Amino acid sequence: MKEKVCLRHCTLPGQHKAMKVFERWSVSGSLLVVYGQYSDIFLVTITNLKLVYILKSDHSPNWIEHCCFLPNVEHRDALLATATDGNIKVWCLPPSQHGTNVEELIEDSSKGFDIKNVVSLTSHASKGFSRVLAVTQQMWIVFEATGGHLRPLYSENNIMEMLKGGDFVTMETVIIWGE
């Protein structure tokens, strides 16, 4: 918005839940990630609101609850998303966007960790290592992310209060908050 004038406009189908901006480390530029009550994820350039990727799921397509960005996973950025069925899906993005057409990408992996009602999903990357933190209302779990695959490292589920979110303080330390 400049002087209350809309400078760019983009229309995408579906009922959207959230939009997030992710800075890509492997290429210059940021992407706007749009997701919601549908199984696709839309990636749009920030500079001109051009749709560049549609991330699709072959395995159990479902509504997307949350997503996070893993920069430079083996020289390819990755986007992770939790679906309402408890699966965590991973898409590895190409190093650069080729051509002017919208590119459809199918997930590289989809794992049924049975993590439902996710309230937050975040990542942390440092010195070639990546971790992902998923928080539900009743539990939290830290994953190691390697080559587009997730391996559970630690989880806590004996929590007496309703959790609201979490984030990384360092690669080894998380902060979790509740009501």
Side-chain angles (χ1 to χ4, degrees), residues 2-131:
K2 185 177 182 181
E3 298 177 17
K4 299 182 182 179
V5 175
C6 181
L7 299 176
R8 302 266 191 271
H9 178 78
C10 178
T11 303
L12 298 171
Q15 185 173 346
H16 311 305
K17 177 180 178 178
M19 290 187 259
K20 293 183 176 185
V21 175
F22 293 123
E23 180 72 29
R24 291 193 69 184
W25 290 5
S26 64
V27 296
S28 61
S30 297
L31 292 174
L32 177 66
V33 179
V34 181
Y35 59 95
Q37 294 183 350
Y38 42 85
S39 60
D40 296 339
I41 299 174
F42 301 105
L43 278 65
V44 177
T45 60
I46 291 294
T47 53
N48 60 8
L49 295 182
K50 179 185 170 220
L51 179 63
V52 288
Y53 298 112
I54 300 174
L55 307 183
K56 295 188 164 288
S57 177
D58 268 353
H59 180 268
S60 184
N62 225 314
W63 291 356
I64 301 300
E65 286 185 324
H66 288 278
C67 68
C68 71
F69 187 65
L70 277 177
N72 203 13
V73 176
E74 295 183 359
H75 307 292
R76 293 175 66 192
D77 297 325
L79 188 97
L80 281 72
T82 57
T84 54
D85 61 2
N87 286 332
I88 296 181
K89 299 170 180 298
V90 179
W91 290 267
C92 291
L93 304 179
S96 63
Q97 207 272 330
H98 302 289
T100 57
N101 295 332
V102 176
E103 200 171 336
E104 290 187 359
L105 303 175
I106 304 299
E107 84 260 86
D108 289 89
S109 68
S110 178
K111 280 245 178 167
F113 289 107
D114 199 31
I115 302 173
K116 295 182 180 173
N117 301 316
V118 172
V119 294
S120 105
L121 185 71
T122 188
S123 65
H124 186 75
S126 176
K127 298 178 184 172
F129 296 99
S130 298
R131 302 249 165 102

Side-chain angles (χ1 to χ4, degrees), residues 70 122-124 129-133 142-143 153 168 171-172:
L70 277 177
T122 188
S123 65
H124 186 75
F129 296 99
S130 298
R131 302 249 165 102
V132 174
L133 170 64
V142 174
F143 296 93
L153 287 178
F168 285 94
M171 186 65 86
E172 302 299 326

